[in-house]
Amino acid sequence: MRLLLTLLFMLSLVLFAPQSTAVEKSEPMTALELVQAGQAAYGQRDYETAQTHFGTFLTDYGDSEEAQEAVHAVRPLFAICLIRVREFGEALGVIKQVLGAEGVDQAMRLELTFWQGVCQLQAADHAKAQVSFGTYYKHAPKTDPRRIEAAILFGTGYLIQEQYPDAIAFFRSRVEELEANAPEAAARMITLQLHALIQTDELEEAVALTLRASEKFDQFVQIIGLQSLILQLGSRLLDEEQYYEAIRCFHYVWPQQQLLDLQRSRQERLERRLRMLKARGNADALVFQLDGVLTRITRELDHFSKVEHYNEALRMRLASAYLGLQRYRQGALIMEGMLAEMELNEIVEGASVNLVQCWMQESRWDRAAASSDRYLKRFGYEAKS
């Protein structure tokens, strides 16, 4: 890079040096001054200012035959600036210009291929984004951490396009190799794979994946997203009358407040990590990735905190699974716990009615009568049954 800057400086001196030694401050910046100012701002990570200077240079001198070498050197940096200020639409056009030119440094070509995928993803051009991420994954060094992110984004493209069998096959082939060296990335892939399995009714494999995930819940940054999928899987199994498997899933779902507290602590940890990476200034792709994760966590927290009667619904589903197995005593004990611990609402009222029926099935007439009296006392004769 130092050699490139020196070359740019010398080239600009020859081609674009001002004709007069006395330059008024009000006059437009020369080509040399634009490049120098852009480089200085870029080095200080002031990408908005760098974008302005590089953009002006390319607008004023981009068509000049004498300036083409400098133009080819500046344009990739301009593209990076546009990405940093989230001007993805304009950045995509510039990146295509760079990648379509000859003589582009291989490292820069690879860098812009990744960001081309990001821009295409922002433009909802998911098929082309997959091609870009696949190209990056294929050619990037195996030690490059961004290669893992490219793989996750490639697989996510299948989900966005609802190509669930392809997504399952892709994630299935890569989770194991990531678990040892990149457990957080493997956790993200497991969550995405579980979503695809539920969508395709591959319930047996989804249960097996849930059991596998349960051994490493501490590695899942988006724990609410994962637990919501497990609850969804358990509910699907309950509907399919696969009661034993439904019970297994429901036992892995945590209470609402526990999930909120844990997700907030992981959100804070992620925010601290992002602040450190941004201050360091040499991990832009990782910052982009984690910014996306943080956005999803914030959205999930906001939605999940507003869900009403979450714990009651979870307990009632678990009790219903036991009732499906005609294990009335276990179902009754769960519902008694609901009545003792939870505020009154329609779900708890329904549990009160079912509780009476469960004790009657067990021929526990004393407990059935006591439960009936409790129901009438708490909900009144006009309560819905």
Side-chain angles (χ1 to χ4, degrees), residues 173-360:
S173 67
R174 282 163 177 81
V175 166
E176 287 189 10
E177 68 179 78
L178 289 178
E179 284 182 315
N181 301 319
E184 285 190 6
R188 289 173 63 195
M189 281 196 175
I190 286 174
T191 302
L192 297 170
Q193 184 181 355
L194 182 59
H195 170 70
L197 289 168
I198 294 172
Q199 293 299 316
T200 54
D201 288 326
E202 298 286 346
L203 302 184
E204 183 177 350
E205 185 176 349
V207 171
L209 191 62
T210 296
L211 299 179
R212 183 175 174 181
S214 69
E215 300 172 357
K216 54 194 77 175
F217 278 155
D218 60 311
Q219 296 174 359
F220 287 81
V221 177
Q222 293 176 257
I223 189 64
I224 285 178
L226 174 67
Q227 291 258 317
S228 298
L229 286 172
I230 296 174
L231 177 58
Q232 182 183 346
L233 173 60
S235 301
R236 182 75 65 82
L237 291 163
L238 182 63
D239 293 340
E240 297 291 329
E241 300 183 357
Q242 298 184 39
Y243 300 119
Y244 285 109
E245 301 298 343
I247 290 169
R248 295 176 78 182
C249 289
F250 292 141
H251 275 302
Y252 287 122
V253 181
W254 297 340
Q256 186 175 32
Q257 192 58 52
Q258 181 181 351
L259 279 173
L260 287 171
D261 291 343
L262 183 59
Q263 189 66 89
R264 286 178 181 133
S265 70
R266 293 184 181 177
Q267 179 187 36
E268 292 170 0
R269 184 176 67 187
L270 182 58
E271 288 171 342
R272 289 195 299 271
R273 186 181 177 190
L274 271 167
R275 285 195 296 270
M276 179 188 69
L277 289 170
K278 289 178 179 178
R280 187 188 303 169
N282 60 351
D284 292 313
L286 183 58
V287 167
F288 179 85
Q289 166 206 330
L290 295 180
D291 266 331
V293 174
L294 182 60
T295 298
R296 290 190 291 272
I297 286 176
T298 303
R299 184 169 57 243
E300 288 173 358
L301 265 172
D302 181 64
H303 171 75
F304 189 66
S305 64
K306 296 174 183 176
V307 175
E308 296 182 349
H309 312 316
Y310 175 87
N311 294 332
E312 294 91 327
L314 172 60
R315 292 271 197 99
M316 196 65 205
R317 285 185 175 95
L318 179 60
S320 298
Y322 279 112
L323 298 185
L325 295 171
Q326 298 184 1
R327 293 169 61 175
Y328 299 110
R329 184 174 182 278
Q330 286 91 336
L333 292 175
I334 292 171
M335 288 183 283
E336 279 195 340
M338 293 175 63
L339 294 173
E341 301 167 15
M342 297 178 171
E343 297 180 359
L344 303 184
N345 54 55
E346 291 185 0
I347 298 176
V348 174
E349 180 186 337
S352 300
V353 175
N354 285 321
L355 178 60
V356 176
Q357 296 170 343
C358 286
W359 289 131
M360 290 176 66

Side-chain angles (χ1 to χ4, degrees), residues 140-158:
K142 290 188 177 181
T143 55
D144 181 359
R146 194 187 302 176
R147 185 171 180 267
I148 297 174
E149 182 63 18
I152 293 174
L153 292 170
F154 181 90
T156 303
Y158 284 131

Side-chain angles (χ1 to χ4, degrees), residues 11-43:
L11 178 68
S12 299
L13 283 174
V14 174
L15 296 178
F16 309 118
Q19 298 302 310
S20 173
T21 56
V23 180
E24 298 294 330
K25 292 183 179 180
S26 60
E27 291 184 4
M29 296 175 69
T30 66
L32 172 60
E33 291 169 339
L34 288 169
V35 172
Q36 287 179 326
Q39 290 284 4
Y42 189 92

